[in-house]
Amino acid sequence: MSAFVTGGSRGIGLALVQAMLKGKTFSRVVAAARTDSEALQALKFQHGDRLVTVKMDLTDEVSIQEAVKSTEDFCQGSLQLLVHNAGLMHPSGRGENSVTRLDMESFSKVLATNVIGPALLTKALYPRLRAAAQEEPSKVVAVGAGVASISTNQAGGWYSYRASKTALNAFMKNLSIEGGRHKVSAFTLYPQMVETALSKPYVKGNPYPELRSPEETADQMLELITSFGISDTGRFVNIWSREDIPW
């Protein structure tokens, strides 16, 4: 089986790549990221032909197309799992707490990274996902955010990030409907707050009892990814409670 993970050079993405390479389920793993990392290169040295690393900028359609093309032979024409993990809170590192902080450049970059890029990457890889689904259902997984839930929004703020993650949910739900005709499932997994660079500015305000590590988060996510079937397509799930989150 082959997997393609975005944001694979650090945080949850890197931990997912590590977890996949520890097991035997995935014989081929693609780790895509804007920049490389020593940890990713160490994995490449350790696992050799099972791992391919590729530079990809989700805000650049040409970069997405080149990344997909460069991994064609490695994936052998099929792909069992695509994980949309890469994400951007805000170019400044902090989400907007007021509408007065919004600007076109930053908002556009957040949308491009969190929604448009993943959508275009899915489009580019969809033929491989469909090819793999001829044997067993393939899967597209998005790493979601609790702030994407419209009905539970009581705090406001985080304008561009919240809007982008809500839009990503809408894309994944739409994909689950089309994918259902091709045995391609699509679901969103919410890991709560994880100890990564993305969450660092907000750790003090963590509303959950624990701050999870990327490694334990990746293990839990992989367990759900493996166990979820075509009947789970279209879901938005908290990975720890395994309960559906209201849209």
Side-chain angles (χ1 to χ4, degrees):
M1 294 178 66
S2 58
F4 193 113
V5 182
T6 69
S9 63
R10 61 179 184 167
I12 297 173
L14 177 63
L16 279 169
V17 171
Q18 289 174 320
M20 290 175 184
L21 292 171
K22 280 182 186 176
K24 297 180 180 179
T25 301
F26 297 96
S27 56
R28 298 178 301 279
V29 179
V30 177
R34 285 189 303 110
T35 56
D36 208 342
S37 69
E38 291 184 6
L40 194 56
Q41 284 305 309
L43 284 177
K44 174 66 177 172
F45 179 78
Q46 181 181 357
H47 295 279
D49 293 342
R50 288 184 64 199
L51 174 64
V52 160
T53 61
V54 59
K55 287 190 176 182
M56 183 181 70
D57 183 352
L58 283 170
T59 67
D60 183 343
E61 187 172 5
V62 173
S63 176
I64 292 171
Q65 292 170 347
E66 290 176 346
V68 169
K69 185 176 181 180
S70 71
T71 60
E72 187 172 4
D73 291 340
F74 178 72
C75 290
Q76 299 178 5
S78 68
L79 184 69
Q80 283 75 26
L81 174 64
L82 168 59
V83 180
H84 293 303
N85 164 73
L88 176 67
M89 173 71 71
H90 191 271
S92 70
R94 284 189 171 274
E96 311 95 339
N97 57 3
S98 169
V99 70
T100 60
R101 283 193 56 206
L102 297 178
D103 68 86
M104 180 66 77
E105 183 177 356
S106 297
F107 208 141
S108 297
K109 190 168 185 179
V110 173
L111 287 173
T113 303
N114 295 350
V115 191
I116 302 171
L120 294 177
L121 178 61
T122 304
K123 170 191 171 184
L125 289 172
Y126 201 67
R128 294 185 201 174
L129 291 161
R130 288 192 63 178
Q134 293 178 13
E135 297 182 9
E136 61 179 280
S138 53
K139 302 172 184 179
V140 180
V141 180
V143 179
V147 297
S149 171
I150 296 174
S151 61
T152 62
N153 180 8
Q154 300 296 321
W158 299 23
Y159 279 87
S160 57
Y161 183 71
R162 190 186 294 272
S164 70
K165 285 297 191 177
T166 301
L168 179 62
N169 275 359
F171 168 75
M172 292 295 289
K173 179 64 176 180
N174 222 39
L175 180 65
S176 73
I177 296 170
E178 178 179 1
R181 299 191 286 267
H182 308 135
K183 294 198 298 184
V184 178
S185 62
F187 47 89
T188 301
L189 300 179
Y190 172 46
Q192 295 183 357
M193 188 169 285
V194 183
E195 192 174 4
T196 65
L198 183 74
S199 66
K200 191 174 181 180
Y202 304 97
V203 168
K204 289 183 179 180
N206 182 13
Y208 303 104
E210 297 180 59
L211 180 65
R212 307 284 187 171
S213 71
E215 291 74 23
E216 64 180 326
T217 300
D219 288 342
Q220 183 75 358
M221 288 182 68
L222 269 186
E223 183 180 335
L224 265 65
I225 289 169
T226 302
S227 64
F228 275 16
I230 198 71
S231 62
D232 295 294
T233 194
R235 295 180 66 188
F236 177 26
V237 182
N238 182 310
I239 68 170
W240 303 106
S241 68
R242 305 194 179 203
E243 296 177 347
D244 288 275
I245 300 169
W247 296 111

